[in-house]
Amino acid sequence: MKPTVFAFAFGSILIAIIFGSSFFWLFPESEFSYCTHPYSSGDNDYKRIRICTSVIEAGGLSKSDLAEVYYYRGRGYQSKKRFEAAFADYSSSIRMNPTHAKALLNRGTIHHEKGRGLCAIADYERARKLSPDWFGPYNNVGNIFNSLGYFDRAIGHYDTAIELDANAAQPYYNRGNAHWS
């Protein structure tokens, strides 16, 4: 490594430490990596929203990469109960990548929370057709039927979700609640 490159890198890191900023401005590709990294508990959603916004504003991404950024920023918004912003981001993600099943599922969840059950089912059905082996759409359609009082239909969807992924806890929990209703 040339001394000037080392001095620049060392100086940049030192400035970042002193001023408390992140290292993302040094390595822009890591902003994309942070933004699109799968969630784990304890993630800082406000930071994710800020960084994803920065990545969107910077431009230069492919449509599929941009769809991922909108999807993950939407998840950040949704976890902070900013449903309209999340809905807009999921819609942008779907517009750029119509086969984004997770964005469809999450947008459907917002439809359901806003009382738009038929729109939710339409998104869940599109997600199911795109990912027929994924338990999520079946589980979520079951949630709609459960909320409408159609417990037998809900249980049928939860059973299908469990057949698809016996390790997923949500359908078991939801099926138990439907039995008790």
Side-chain angles (χ1 to χ4, degrees):
M1 180 182 276
K2 293 184 178 182
T4 54
V5 173
F6 177 77
F8 173 77
F10 181 76
S12 298
I13 292 170
L14 186 60
I15 289 169
I17 292 169
I18 291 170
F19 292 105
S21 64
S22 68
F23 294 103
F24 292 124
W25 60 275
L26 289 172
F27 309 103
E29 68 278 0
S30 63
E31 282 189 327
F32 175 78
S33 297
Y34 182 88
C35 177
T36 58
H37 188 271
Y39 266 46
S40 60
S41 61
D43 273 352
N44 183 334
D45 292 310
Y46 290 118
K47 182 177 181 181
R48 182 180 300 270
I49 291 166
R50 182 175 43 78
I51 290 171
C52 288
T53 300
S54 172
V55 170
I56 291 166
E57 290 171 351
L61 294 176
S62 68
K63 279 178 87 171
S64 65
D65 284 346
L66 194 55
E68 285 301 301
V69 172
Y70 275 111
Y71 167 73
Y72 280 103
R73 188 174 74 169
R75 285 186 62 169
Y77 282 137
Q78 188 173 6
S79 73
K80 295 301 178 190
K81 310 268 187 254
R82 295 183 55 193
F83 297 119
E84 295 309 317
F87 185 87
D89 276 359
Y90 293 142
S91 295
S92 293
S93 179
I94 294 162
R95 194 170 33 260
M96 290 173 209
N97 178 3
T99 63
H100 202 304
K102 290 180 181 179
L104 283 161
L105 187 84
N106 287 5
R107 187 175 74 174
T109 299
I110 294 173
H111 276 306
H112 184 210
E113 289 175 5
K114 296 292 184 179
R116 300 183 297 251
L118 291 177
C119 293
I121 288 175
D123 277 352
Y124 296 153
E125 284 301 308
R126 280 181 62 196
R128 184 188 58 77
K129 287 177 183 171
L130 292 167
S131 298
D133 296 331
W134 183 29
F135 79 94
Y138 292 96
N139 181 69
N140 288 18
V141 170
N143 290 342
I144 290 175
F145 285 130
N146 194 34
S147 69
L148 295 172
Y150 298 112
F151 305 116
D152 290 338
R153 290 185 80 180
I155 290 167
H157 279 81
Y158 298 140
D159 287 344
T160 302
I162 290 167
E163 288 172 18
L164 291 172
D165 188 347
N167 295 317
Q170 288 174 321
Y172 287 104
Y173 176 80
N174 294 336
R175 185 176 66 179
N177 284 337
H179 275 293
W180 283 101
S181 298

